[in-house]
Amino acid sequence: MEEFIQDLPKAELHLHIEGTLEPEMMFKLAQRNNIDLPYKSVSEIRAAYKFDNLQSFLDIYYQGSQVLQQEQDFYDLTWAYLEKAASQNVRHTEIFFDPQSHTDRGIAFETVYQGINRALQDGKTKLGISGQLILSFLRHLSAEAAFSTLEQAIPYKDNILAVGLDSAEQGNPPAKFKAVFDRAQAEGFLTVAHAGEEGPPEYIWEAIELLNVSRIDHGVRSMEDPKLLDYLADKQIPLTVCPLSNVELKVFDSMAKHNLKKLLNLGICVTVNSDDPAYFGGYIAENYQAAQSALDLTKQELYQLAKNSFQASFLPPESKHKLMVELDNYYQNQKAS
Ligand code: HPA
Ligand code: ZN
């Protein structure tokens, strides 16, 4: 099973690049940039990664991001992720970045963007992995701040596929960002939003109806609203689910209680993703693996999850088709062997 999962051709659609900052890289960049870390060792950092909820994670995650200062830092971070993803046969990845975590510290938008984008270009040529960017607004900040971030992104809009919404969900509903998302769509950006991670199903409805999202990030609390479940299945609005993240942030008490398999069996286009792999104990293959063993997922279900990941991606139809053929060939060969 482990090998089947590792080699399964897949796409990753919910990954925060700042969440791929491994403790070793945090030390390396702190040294490069002359920053004092509040930790003495890698093991001390890892020991601090015990979370009670989303906010307790966000506090540590934003603190960690401060070691990212130069364009090369963003390049190194992204490159390390792409190498890891390619080693798990991720064929395509759509990466969130949080510009406000950096611009609010005086780092230029361009520095962040150029570093990440240069690594994505190298990923394509050197690793054969395609990558796209999604600019995520921090929802605990104001709509005005999101507007000003959108303005800064407009010169690069040909290389930024979509805008999204992350950070503290409760009390920061999608409605707060309707005007910004309208403007982003007028500029040609697609839209996604984190919703129904800690927040109620109403936030998922708002993301769909007010922000016109193509996908919901997380969305696991849709389970509380039968009408919403029918709607997601009927319209095939994908959910980018992150199993290890949900257990680490106590959205579910244990992996055995995760609703991934139920959502899949309701015919919803669910996908498996790693969210913030450096903080939650694993990359995409470890997420598939943890869900597989706790929920007893079959090879057919794993195949369906991978197929959904290509279907839910923002790739053009011909690229989607090519990757799905690659996946089908892989699955048929595995079944025969
Ligand atoms: N939820 C909200 N904000 C985030 C997350 C998440 O899963 N990861 C990084 N920022
Ligand atoms: Zn996320």
Side-chain angles (χ1 to χ4, degrees):
M1 228 12 146
E2 221 163 287
E3 221 179 287
F4 175 78
I5 287 170
Q6 183 86 12
D7 295 342
L8 187 69
K10 48 183 101 58
E12 177 145 64
L13 307 177
H14 185 160
L15 180 280
H16 302 263
I17 200 63
E18 294 87 351
T20 68
L21 181 67
E22 292 287 350
E24 292 80 2
M25 174 87 69
M26 198 187 288
F27 269 111
K28 178 179 120 178
L29 299 183
Q31 204 165 31
R32 185 190 280 176
N33 295 321
N34 280 317
I35 295 167
D36 273 333
L37 285 179
Y39 309 103
K40 284 193 281 300
S41 66
V42 164
S43 57
E44 201 179 300
I45 298 186
R46 290 206 196 277
Y49 293 175
K50 298 260 177 296
F51 311 112
D52 301 323
N53 50 34
L54 175 58
Q55 190 60 53
S56 64
F57 156 69
L58 290 170
D59 294 341
I60 286 194
Y61 163 82
Y62 294 131
Q63 185 191 45
S65 295
Q66 296 185 15
V67 300
L68 296 160
Q69 301 209 337
Q70 311 174 49
E71 183 185 316
Q72 191 63 36
D73 304 340
F74 291 94
Y75 178 93
D76 291 351
L77 178 74
T78 309
W79 181 252
Y81 162 68
L82 291 171
E83 280 194 311
K84 184 75 187 178
S87 79
Q88 299 187 338
N89 213 15
V90 172
R91 307 286 289 108
H92 173 71
T93 177
E94 295 178 5
I95 297 179
F96 289 114
F97 71 120
D98 288 343
Q100 288 159 293
S101 304
H102 314 299
T103 53
D104 285 3
R105 298 181 288 117
I107 314 288
F109 184 97
E110 191 185 2
T111 301
V112 180
Y113 166 82
Q114 297 290 8
I116 301 172
N117 194 51
R118 192 155 55 79
L120 287 180
Q121 301 312 316
D122 284 352
K124 182 91 212 157
T125 54
K126 297 181 183 163
L127 300 170
I129 182 171
S130 58
Q132 293 280 4
L133 280 177
I134 305 175
L135 184 167
S136 202
F137 301 117
L138 299 183
R139 69 201 305 162
H140 68 277
L141 300 177
S142 67
E144 290 71 32
F147 259 113
S148 113
T149 304
L150 179 61
E151 294 291 340
Q152 296 174 64
I154 285 172
Y156 309 103
K157 72 176 180 184
D158 289 349
N159 284 318
I160 301 174
L161 202 57
V163 298
L165 206 52
D166 66 5
S167 189
E169 187 181 4
Q170 303 258 31
N172 294 300
K176 177 175 163 186
F177 295 93
K178 176 170 169 37
V180 190
F181 272 59
D182 282 349
R183 176 72 205 290
Q185 287 177 89
E187 290 288 346
F189 294 96
L190 296 168
T191 63
V192 298
H194 283 53
E197 177 186 19
E198 281 192 344
E202 290 73 34
Y203 285 17
I204 302 176
W205 283 116
E206 271 187 27
I208 294 167
E209 289 171 347
L210 302 182
L211 307 186
N212 201 22
V213 295
S214 306
R215 300 195 292 250
I216 294 286
D217 297 309
H218 295 296
V220 290
R221 286 194 60 192
S222 58
M223 195 56 82
E224 298 164 31
D225 182 341
K227 248 183 78 186
L228 177 57
L229 290 170
D230 283 347
Y231 189 86
L232 295 172
D234 186 40
K235 302 282 187 221
Q236 286 293 293
I237 298 174
L239 304 182
T240 63
V241 173
C242 307
L244 286 172
S245 165
N246 292 155
V247 174
E248 289 300 309
L249 300 187
K250 312 288 190 282
V251 174
F252 296 95
D253 295 337
S254 68
M255 195 60 82
K257 299 226 171 96
H258 201 290
N259 62 20
L260 174 77
K261 185 168 173 144
K262 289 196 190 101
L263 292 166
L264 184 68
N265 292 335
L266 285 170
I268 294 171
C269 184
V270 283
T271 64
V272 167
N273 309 272
S274 69
D275 207 5
D276 301 283
Y279 293 89
F280 300 143
Y283 287 76
I284 193 167
E286 288 80 17
N287 273 272
Y288 271 86
Q289 187 60 56
Q292 190 282 322
S293 41
L295 304 173
D296 207 15
L297 298 175
T298 63
K299 283 191 177 172
Q300 200 278 330
E301 286 168 325
L302 296 166
Y303 159 80
Q304 186 63 46
L305 288 166
K307 190 168 178 182
N308 289 350
S309 75
F310 294 127
Q311 182 58 40
S313 77
F314 292 138
L315 285 167
E318 60 279 17
S319 312
K320 268 189 201 184
H321 179 72
K322 251 175 94 175
L323 289 168
M324 285 193 200
V325 169
E326 187 179 320
L327 171 65
D328 279 346
N329 288 337
Y330 174 80
Y331 183 51
Q332 294 308 328
N333 281 336
Q334 289 284 320
K335 269 204 308 192
S337 68

